Amino acid sequence: MKIYTKTGDQGSTSLVGGTRLSKADLRIDTYGTVDELNAYIGLVRDQEVNLPRRDFLKYIQDRLFTIGSILASEPDNKKHFIPDLHEEDITALELAMDEMNLVLEPMRAFILPGGHESVSFAHVARTVCRRAERLTVALNQTEPVESVVIRYLNRLSDYLFVLSRKMAQELGVEEIKWAGRKSKQ
């Protein structure tokens, strides 16, 4: 099977179900951003510090592929098999955060991204996740999106923040606390 079809050469692509849309359509931008997020999660998963979490991060990537499939499908498409997302997927993120938070210092300030390249990768993934969430919310304002998708992306960005803190702890890197500049008056 050839990977190129040439059907998108004029700037359109098709949803699962056959409807063709402009590649600039909000739906395409939304699931494209989820795909970008998935690639960043792969980068986070590949960090040595995440060796104990590789299976869970792969599980997250699988969920993101599911979300991409949902978003790449025509609304109410019942003709094609589309994997589904469950409340248990959100609960799994919450449980993982709770476990990491047990050994993290309580937050007393905002934290600036950085301190170590691996930690920075997690923060980039978090910000791409927030963008995917915003785009999904915007899409939901014009076409219904399953609410579990929005909730999953919201919780995933929280997970990535807690993960960045856990990675910093395991790497022995001090978190960079934001102090803000005092106003001169």
Side-chain angles (χ1 to χ4, degrees), residues 71-143:
L71 295 171
S73 299
E74 296 173 351
D76 299 322
N77 183 358
K78 305 292 186 220
K79 294 182 287 188
H80 298 87
F81 169 77
I82 304 298
D84 54 357
L85 199 61
H86 301 282
E87 290 297 325
E88 294 82 25
D89 298 317
I90 296 170
T91 302
L93 292 172
E94 293 170 346
L95 292 172
M97 282 186 282
D98 292 344
E99 186 178 313
M100 289 186 287
N101 271 323
L102 286 174
V103 296
L104 291 172
E105 290 292 320
M107 275 187 46
R108 301 193 194 318
F110 287 108
I111 297 170
L112 297 176
H116 189 281
E117 184 177 76
S118 295
V119 174
S120 295
F121 289 147
H123 280 289
V124 170
R126 175 185 57 79
T127 61
V128 173
C129 187
R130 284 289 188 210
R131 179 165 29 100
E133 179 188 11
R134 289 189 306 271
L135 289 168
T136 304
V137 168
L139 179 63
N140 188 52
Q141 292 173 349
T142 60
E143 303 175 52

Side-chain angles (χ1 to χ4, degrees), residues 150-165:
I150 296 169
R151 288 194 316 280
Y152 185 86
L153 291 171
N154 182 46
R155 208 71 82 252
L156 178 57
S157 64
D158 295 337
Y159 168 82
L160 290 167
F161 178 74
V162 175
L163 176 62
S164 71
R165 295 194 68 218

Side-chain angles (χ1 to χ4, degrees), residues 14 24 29 36-37 64 69-70 77 84 96 116 127 131-132 138-139:
S14 62
D29 193 18
E36 179 185 356
L37 170 60
L64 290 173
S69 297
I70 291 167
N77 183 358
D84 54 357
H116 189 281
T127 61
R131 179 165 29 100
L139 179 63

Side-chain angles (χ1 to χ4, degrees), residues 8 11 16-17 30 38 62 71 92 96 108 129 145 153 156 163 169 173:
V16 175
T30 303
N38 205 333
D62 185 76
L71 295 171
R108 301 193 194 318
C129 187
V145 174
L153 291 171
L156 178 57
L163 176 62
Q169 180 191 58
V173 177

